[in-house]
Amino acid sequence: MDALQLTLGIPLVAMPLMLLCNYHVGGYFNIFATSLALVAAVCVAWQVLNLGPVQYMNGLFYIDAFNVYLIVLTAFVGFTTAIFSNPYMRHEQERGRLGPSRMRLYHASYQGFLFTMQLALSTNNLGVLWVAMEGATLSTVLLVSLYRTPESIEAAWKYFILCGVGIAQALFGTVLLYFAAVKAIGNPEKALLWSELVHHTAQLEPTTISLAFGFLLIGYGTKVGLVPLHSWLPDAHSEGPTPMSAVLSGLLLNVALYALVRLKMITDGALASASHIANPHIAGYLMMGFGLLSFLIASLFLHRQKDIKRLFSYSSIEHMGLMTFAFGLGSPLATFGALLHMTVHSLTKSAIFVTVGHTSQIARTQNMEQIRGIISTQPAVGWGLLIGTMVIAGFPPFGVFTSEFLLLTATMKAMPWLTAPLLLGLGIAFAGLLRAVQPMVYGVSPDGQRAVHVNMWPVTIHLLLVLGLGVAMPGILTHWFDQATHLIAGRGAP
Amino acid sequence: MFFAQLPVNEQAILALAAAVLLLTFFMLAHPRILSVINLFAWQGLLLAITTALVAYDAQASHLYISAFLALLLKAFFIPWLLKRMIEKFDMHHELDAVRNPALILMGAGVLVIFCYHTTLPIAALQLTITRNIIAICMAVVLLGMLILVSRDKAITQVVGFMTLENGLFFAAVTITRGMPMIVELGVAFDVLVAAIIFGIFFLHLKQSIDSLDISRLNRLTEKEPD
């Protein structure tokens, strides 16, 4: 058994076991399974660090610098969120929002979701990547409707239909890509393999590829949450249980963006050599356009939110827009910044959702106008929420500041006039977040508001990691990001 | 190249593709829910036949498995599941009339022309058959989306969703002689799970809003509450 098989196998085996598991031990078993998977993922990273890009099981799986750090990140956030989810879901059960059988469903779906994420990241086959992305929707849709309120069922229906239709476009794009790839590569069994495609991009037929990229952008873009295909995201985040919001924001959006960037690399390679295509950088420009639009619109929408989870899901759209923009820009510096931003956003946003979950349990509502004085009721949660918000808004010296600074510098170098809307959007988002969070954490707490049982370790570790990444990046991570930048942008960051 | 000059098998594939597109048009405008499901089952049958034909034509034995899966899933299992729901909720005679059938059908026609237009640059490089097929598959995908947005009932929306999936399956089979086996199996598995989850959803919808009318799902918006 090698480490990758374990990384994938543990959640796959744990999924059916969770259905059988008594709900008292389900939460602990969930933590146990995710901790094992994290150890396995770190071993995979160790192998890749020593050996360089590795292919597993006859080329079924392919790990290089770009996906290896996402695999570790996914396993890590999966583990810390499982720690958070145990007391949180127990409390939800005590409030009578769900019964034992639905707790089993919850844990099984949680493991299923982690499996699809790791499969999407590690597979070498772009078709399997699609299957895993659709699998991620299927495994989480029953989680969105877990509470069975009319709102949650509406949110789940929207999520299912919108993401299903969106991801279907990506399958059409994949079929078109396969159509072009079979001609260039010959062997139909190998035509969708990333390790083959990346060496044959110049032979791919450019017109077909550009049409395919259009469909793939719509498809995976829906999952990234790009405006105007984003409307499932705030609904699903606000109505589902909070641990699910944490993993959706922290992991699913990243993995969808990962898929998009891989396909952009192929498209760029195919269009670069084409003489009759008007614009060889069309893929990058499309991503920049959609990214910037999402970024600006989401930062404006932050100001009119009433629900605390909707607020932070719009913040996720905003940051995903920024990353999409940066990958579209495509210079080495922008790519490096975007890779860093993927990491710090994922860590920070999942930490924020943990505190948001506890906050709404303390206040017994998600309506921000009724949440007051969290710091005086339970300082750990209140400060966690405030610091988390400051981090995501881009305060120095945290990692989000560093990556946003890199992205701004890269934009300034490549397209100076785009710096203005970026700065404006960051300012608007900053104001929107702080204005909403300030009265919730300070102020007088209402009568009868009591502290709840919490475990703040996940939040502390995440925020410390983000702080560490902002102050001094460890050598290993810089090395990986450099290699990934080489892969994506073709050159290293200066 | 003219239609009659193509080999017989390719002529048959093209004719079947045209029939699939025609069925999609019927599904767009038909007011009775039960009939829409029947039309969908016929479409699944045509898909299975086409896949078997392509498998015979291209000597690709793994496509016979896909054909069998399509027959099982799309011609029998999913229609059976939907009909069972209709029986359960006693909706035999319920209508889900489209508000403006003439407009929808004209819009659908425009969509088909748009698909042919978009695929023109590819057609310049390829044979006639591929150009027609790519355009038709793209049209079925877009018409599936049109069914989704023009219908109000959950069951007909699911039919729209599955029609879209049919268009994709048709594309994979006819344009590229089938995807690699592992992908085909994965996609079939996803469709199966999706169908089952839709079934679970109908029950939830019925319990929570006492209806399968999706237009009643309007609580979550960005609008200020009145």
Side-chain angles (χ1 to χ4, degrees):
Chain A
M1 289 289 272
D2 57 50
L4 185 74
Q5 284 174 344
L6 283 175
T7 314
L8 289 166
I10 290 167
L12 187 62
V13 174
M15 181 167 49
L17 287 182
M18 288 296 180
L19 280 177
L20 306 171
C21 212
N22 186 309
Y23 67 95
H24 287 297
V25 292
Y28 295 104
F29 187 50
N30 200 22
I31 297 175
F32 177 66
T34 48
S35 66
L36 285 185
L38 176 61
V39 173
V42 172
C43 291
V44 173
W46 183 250
Q47 281 178 359
V48 175
L49 185 70
N50 288 329
L51 301 172
V54 194
Q55 285 191 32
Y56 291 90
M57 298 201 248
N58 301 326
L60 264 181
F61 298 100
Y62 177 82
I63 316 279
D64 62 15
F66 185 22
N67 53 10
V68 72
Y69 89 94
L70 285 170
I71 289 176
V72 177
L73 186 68
T74 301
F76 180 72
V77 175
F79 169 60
T80 49
T81 309
I83 296 179
F84 153 64
S85 122
N86 190 25
Y88 180 86
M89 294 312 284
R90 204 166 282 265
H91 190 265
E92 293 289 282
Q93 210 180 344
E94 282 158 14
R95 283 165 79 193
R97 291 188 77 180
L98 68 173
S101 61
R102 270 189 253 160
M103 285 291 279
R104 291 180 197 196
L105 173 72
Y106 166 79
H107 285 124
S109 299
Y110 190 91
Q111 292 293 335
F113 173 71
L114 286 183
F115 169 71
T116 56
M117 291 288 91
Q118 298 289 23
L119 180 64
L121 286 171
S122 58
T123 183
N124 190 12
N125 188 321
L126 294 175
V128 176
L129 172 66
W130 183 87
V131 172
M133 289 303 292
E134 169 84 3
T137 316
L138 297 175
S139 61
T140 45
V141 69
L142 289 180
L143 283 185
V144 175
S145 65
L146 196 68
Y147 294 137
R148 305 279 157 80
T149 57
E151 285 86 0
S152 71
I153 289 185
E154 177 182 344
W157 181 263
K158 263 193 194 169
Y159 175 49
F160 200 13
I161 293 286
L162 203 60
C163 277
V165 170
I167 206 84
Q169 312 300 312
L171 182 58
F172 195 67
T174 311
V175 170
L176 287 176
L177 175 67
Y178 181 63
F179 172 61
V182 169
K183 284 205 196 125
I185 294 173
N187 182 350
E189 286 300 316
K190 290 195 167 171
L192 272 179
L193 295 188
W194 167 258
S195 49
E196 294 287 326
L197 275 171
V198 75
H199 298 301
H200 292 88
T201 49
Q203 287 111 285
L204 296 173
E205 204 278 301
T207 336
T208 318
I209 293 293
S210 50
L211 186 62
F213 185 77
F215 279 99
L216 290 160
L217 177 68
I218 297 173
Y220 293 126
T222 312
K223 284 242 142 166
V224 178
L226 296 180
V227 173
L229 307 157
H230 67 288
S231 71
W232 64 272
L233 198 145
D235 294 349
H237 277 66
S238 66
E239 300 308 322
T242 310
M244 198 214 60
S245 319
V247 286
L248 278 188
S249 253
L251 305 178
L252 177 73
L253 308 185
N254 268 359
V255 176
L257 185 59
Y258 159 83
L260 201 54
V261 173
R262 287 261 178 199
L263 292 158
K264 173 182 180 269
M265 289 157 73
I266 293 176
T267 312
D268 278 349
L271 299 193
S273 51
S275 50
H276 60 284
I277 296 283
N279 188 344
H281 299 295
I282 185 76
Y285 286 134
L286 277 174
M287 281 173 74
M288 282 168 72
F290 274 109
L292 198 61
L293 184 72
S294 315
F295 174 72
L296 291 174
I297 293 208
S299 56
L300 286 171
F301 265 100
L302 278 175
H303 283 262
R304 42 184 307 178
Q305 297 311 313
K306 300 259 180 284
D307 182 302
I308 184 166
K309 281 162 90 179
R310 287 185 85 90
L311 177 82
F312 285 107
S313 55
Y314 271 102
S315 157
S316 291
I317 299 177
E318 178 218 334
H319 285 275
M320 294 320 287
L322 187 61
M323 287 175 231
T324 311
F325 171 82
F327 278 122
L329 199 60
S331 68
L333 189 62
T335 308
F336 190 93
L339 290 170
L340 178 62
H341 201 76
M342 268 171 118
T343 317
V344 289
H345 171 256
S346 165
L347 289 170
T348 316
K349 194 48 70 60
S350 44
I352 288 180
F353 271 112
V354 170
T355 56
V356 164
H358 289 315
T359 302
S360 53
Q361 279 186 338
I362 294 169
R364 294 194 202 93
T365 173
Q366 288 178 201
N367 185 344
M368 291 198 283
E369 277 164 15
Q370 290 161 20
I371 304 178
R372 289 290 178 267
I374 298 297
I375 286 187
S376 62
T377 312
Q378 194 162 10
V381 175
W383 283 111
L385 182 60
L386 185 62
I387 296 172
T389 310
M390 280 161 66
V391 174
I392 206 72
F395 264 94
F398 290 95
V400 179
F401 171 76
T402 318
S403 56
E404 282 178 355
F405 187 76
L406 285 176
L407 296 184
L408 281 174
T409 320
T411 316
M412 194 91 85
K413 273 187 185 159
M415 298 189 173
W417 46 276
L418 278 181
T419 331
L422 281 188
L423 277 173
L424 185 72
L426 286 175
I428 296 173
F430 184 90
L433 284 172
L434 270 265
R435 194 185 70 169
V437 169
Q438 209 132 335
M440 285 194 283
V441 292
Y442 295 122
V444 186
S445 56
D447 291 336
Q449 184 163 293
R450 275 197 310 277
V452 292
H453 178 66
V454 297
N455 185 345
M456 290 303 279
W457 276 111
V459 180
T460 320
I461 296 172
H462 279 207
L463 292 182
L464 281 177
L465 277 175
V466 175
L467 179 65
L469 285 174
V471 176
M473 273 178 70
I476 295 182
L477 206 58
T478 326
H479 172 70
W480 268 340
F481 284 176
D482 263 335
Q483 280 190 336
T485 309
H486 263 287
L487 283 175
I488 299 167
R491 288 171 289 139
Chain B
M1 205 193 290
F2 293 107
F3 187 69
Q5 287 169 298
L6 289 165
V8 174
N9 281 339
E10 296 197 355
Q11 285 187 27
I13 293 172
L14 264 181
L16 283 168
V20 166
L21 187 64
L22 190 66
L23 278 181
T24 319
F25 268 90
F26 283 139
M27 283 156 78
L28 255 178
H30 209 294
R32 263 191 75 200
I33 298 180
L34 202 62
S35 317
V36 174
I37 297 174
N38 283 332
L39 285 168
F40 173 75
W42 281 108
Q43 197 183 42
L45 187 67
L46 286 187
L47 273 186
I49 296 174
T50 317
T51 315
L53 199 62
V54 172
Y56 174 74
D57 187 36
Q59 305 286 323
S61 53
H62 76 274
L63 271 182
Y64 285 115
I65 305 174
S66 307
F68 181 67
L69 279 177
L71 186 70
L72 218 59
L73 261 177
K74 293 176 169 164
F76 294 113
F77 178 70
I78 295 174
W80 170 80
L81 193 78
L82 292 173
K83 280 187 187 170
R84 219 187 63 152
M85 289 296 154
I86 286 196
E87 218 145 88
K88 198 162 183 169
F89 301 135
D90 201 22
M91 294 167 53
H92 287 278
H93 304 290
E94 250 184 83
L95 300 179
D96 181 14
V98 225
R99 262 155 305 210
N100 223 333
L103 201 65
I104 294 271
L105 284 176
M106 286 212 317
V110 173
L111 273 182
V112 175
I113 295 170
F114 166 77
C115 293
Y116 267 90
H117 176 77
T118 321
T119 48
L120 267 184
I122 299 179
L125 310 155
Q126 308 298 337
L127 305 165
T128 329
I129 175 155
T130 337
R131 166 239 199 128
N132 273 310
I133 294 273
I134 292 184
I136 288 178
C137 294
M138 205 170 135
V140 173
V141 170
L142 293 183
L143 293 187
M145 286 165 81
L146 194 59
I147 298 181
L148 252 176
V149 294
S150 60
R151 298 289 184 154
D152 284 340
K153 291 276 192 304
I155 290 190
T156 32
Q157 286 202 349
V158 171
V159 172
F161 186 85
M162 292 293 170
T163 306
L164 200 164
E165 202 86 52
N166 276 356
L168 293 172
F169 182 84
F170 201 63
V173 167
T174 48
I175 302 176
T176 64
R177 301 289 180 253
M179 307 271 275
M181 200 59 219
I182 180 167
V183 182
E184 291 263 349
L185 287 178
V187 173
F189 177 75
D190 277 349
V191 172
L192 176 67
V193 176
I196 293 169
I197 290 183
F198 273 125
I200 299 174
F201 251 110
F202 291 148
L203 300 178
H204 290 178
L205 281 171
K206 195 77 183 173
Q207 277 166 8
S208 76
I209 57 172
D210 195 36
S211 147
L212 291 184
D213 203 336
I214 296 299
S215 58
R216 289 213 209 160
L217 293 178
N218 51 9
R219 288 166 186 246
L220 298 167
T221 56
E222 289 301 335
K223 288 199 199 87
E224 301 281 330
D226 301 318

